[in-house]
Amino acid sequence: MSVKASELILNPNGSVYHLNLKPEHIAKTIIFVGDQNRVEQVSKHFDNIEFKIQKREFKTHTGTFKGNRISVISTGIGPDNIDIVLNELDALFNIDLKTRTQKEILTSLNIIRIGTSGSLQKDIPVDSFLLSTHALDLNGMLHAYQINGISNPDIEDAFIKHCHWHKNKSRPIVINNSKLLERKLESDTVFKGLTATAGGFYGPQGRVLRLPLQDADLNNKMDSFNFKGIRITNLEMETSAIYGLSKLLGHHALSLNAIIANRAHGTFSENPLKSVENLITYTLNKIF
C-alpha cells in the first residue's frame, strides 16, 4: 500500500519535506549534532565534501572520511525534531519515493549522536565523555508509536517507584543502545550510563525561573536511582527519541556526550568548544 502525499510530504524537486534531501544525498553512516553551526566542526575533518544543503535548522554535509562515505546532519533541539529527522532519513532509504511504497529489502543505518550534556553524578567530571548505554524517555513522544519489544519494564518499574512518578505523566521508557556501535566507540576513558531525555530545558530538567515545578525534588531522586548498577548519569533532550525510533525502524544508534556541566558540583566547562572538538575527533577516528 502506498503512503499518501499528506503523510510523506515531498518538495517539488522530489526531496523529503523538512530535510530537503534525496536518497543520493545521504550516507548510511550519519552523525547527528544539535547545533547547525556544529556541522562544519565535523565536516572540516572530512577528506572531501560532496554535498551541502540546509533547510530551517536541518543542515546536512555529506562526504568521505578515511575513504568512507559519511554524513553529518543538525537536528535542532528536542525529541520532536528527532521524530522528523529519523522518519525522513528512514524514508530516504526504505521507501521508494516515486511509488511511495516500502522497499522489499530494508537498509539499516548507523546513527551516532555527538552532543553536549550536564552530568548528574559527582564522579563524572566536566570535559569528560559519556556513552549512553540506555536512554530514559521522560517526554512521552515515543508513546505515539507501538513500542512493544524495545523497552526495559523492570528498570522502568523501579524508576517509577523510586521517583514516585506522577500518574498524570507519561510512563517512562528505557531503551538500549546499539551494542554493535558501543563496541566500536567505547574506550577505558569514556564513562557509561543511562541518559535521561527530557521534553524541555527548564521545568522538565528541574530549572526554576518563575514557574513552580510539579516535583521540585525529581532531580535529586534521579541522581540517587540505581538499578543493578545502572544509574542516571546525565540529562538532555534527544537520546531516547534517537534510540527508540532507531530500534523501531531497524537502525543502529549510539549517543555520545561531551560533559560540559556538572550539576552536582554546579560547575561548567571553561572551554566547552574544545571539549566538543575533542569528542568529534574521538568519534570520527573510532567509527571506521
Side-chain angles (χ1 to χ4, degrees):
M1 186 173 66
S2 63
V3 182
K4 295 178 181 178
S6 60
E7 311 307 290
L8 176 58
I9 304 168
L10 301 180
N11 296 310
N13 68 351
S15 62
V16 290
Y17 183 66
H18 295 93
L19 303 186
N20 221 16
L21 296 171
K22 295 181 181 180
E24 62 267 26
H25 295 154
I26 196 81
K28 295 178 184 178
T29 297
I30 307 164
I31 291 176
F32 280 7
V33 294
D35 185 353
Q36 58 191 276
N37 294 323
R38 202 172 290 157
V39 171
E40 281 84 2
Q41 277 188 271
V42 176
S43 65
K44 72 181 182 182
H45 297 283
F46 291 0
D47 305 330
N48 62 73
I49 300 172
E50 67 183 60
F51 178 80
K52 296 181 180 182
I53 201 162
Q54 180 170 4
K55 184 178 180 182
R56 304 185 186 184
E57 63 266 55
F58 308 114
K59 179 188 288 188
T60 302
H61 287 184
T62 295
T64 59
F65 180 76
K66 295 182 178 179
N68 299 281
R69 197 161 187 256
I70 187 170
S71 297
V72 54
I73 184 168
S74 58
T75 65
I77 298 173
D80 52 341
N81 272 22
I82 297 299
D83 183 59
I84 291 171
V85 173
L86 252 166
N87 275 291
E88 292 194 1
L89 285 175
D90 179 78
L92 288 170
F93 285 91
N94 293 316
I95 295 177
D96 185 316
L97 300 185
K98 293 181 179 179
T99 65
R100 295 180 171 274
T101 57
Q102 179 178 298
K103 296 180 180 178
E104 290 186 11
I105 300 175
L106 300 180
T107 299
S108 181
L109 307 176
N110 291 321
I111 296 164
I112 302 100
R113 176 178 186 260
I114 296 177
T116 57
S117 185
S119 169
L120 299 178
Q121 303 294 338
K122 291 181 178 180
D123 62 317
I124 301 177
V126 165
D127 299 321
S128 61
F129 300 159
L130 187 132
L131 183 156
S132 304
T133 58
H134 305 73
L136 171 64
D137 187 273
L138 303 176
N139 56 81
M141 186 276 287
L142 290 172
H143 282 292
Y145 300 95
Q146 296 181 17
I147 57 171
N148 296 336
I150 71 163
S151 64
N152 291 267
D154 290 348
I155 307 176
E156 296 160 7
D157 290 342
F159 176 80
I160 290 167
K161 182 178 180 180
H162 179 81
C163 293
H164 305 288
W165 194 250
H166 196 280
K167 62 182 177 63
N168 290 342
K169 291 182 176 180
S170 60
R171 178 182 170 87
I173 309 167
V174 175
I175 313 107
N176 298 346
N177 67 11
S178 162
K179 293 304 175 187
L180 182 149
L181 290 180
E182 179 178 340
R183 287 191 292 270
K184 278 190 174 185
L185 288 152
E186 66 184 350
S187 75
D188 294 338
T189 61
V190 174
F191 289 88
K192 292 184 179 182
L194 188 156
T195 294
T197 299
F201 184 77
Y202 289 97
Q205 294 191 38
R207 293 182 173 92
V208 178
L209 301 185
R210 291 202 313 117
L211 297 176
L213 302 177
Q214 179 272 322
D215 184 353
D217 198 39
L218 180 58
N219 276 18
N220 290 330
K221 295 173 186 175
M222 291 200 298
D223 294 351
S224 60
F225 176 73
N226 191 307
F227 179 84
K228 298 180 180 179
I230 298 172
R231 59 181 183 157
I232 300 171
T233 47
N234 61 315
L235 182 60
E236 45 79 275
M237 296 177 63
E238 288 83 29
T239 296
S240 71
I242 295 170
Y243 281 13
L245 290 174
S246 294
K247 288 282 185 186
L248 292 171
L249 291 166
H251 305 305
H252 295 281
L254 190 78
S255 179
L256 292 165
N257 276 267
I259 299 299
I260 61 171
N262 185 295
R263 295 187 70 180
H265 289 298
T267 54
F268 193 83
S269 173
E270 294 182 1
N271 195 341
L273 290 177
K274 183 179 179 182
S275 290
V276 172
E277 177 66 19
N278 289 341
L279 181 57
I280 289 169
T281 56
Y282 172 88
T283 303
L284 285 171
N285 284 299
K286 295 281 279 186
I287 290 174
F288 299 113

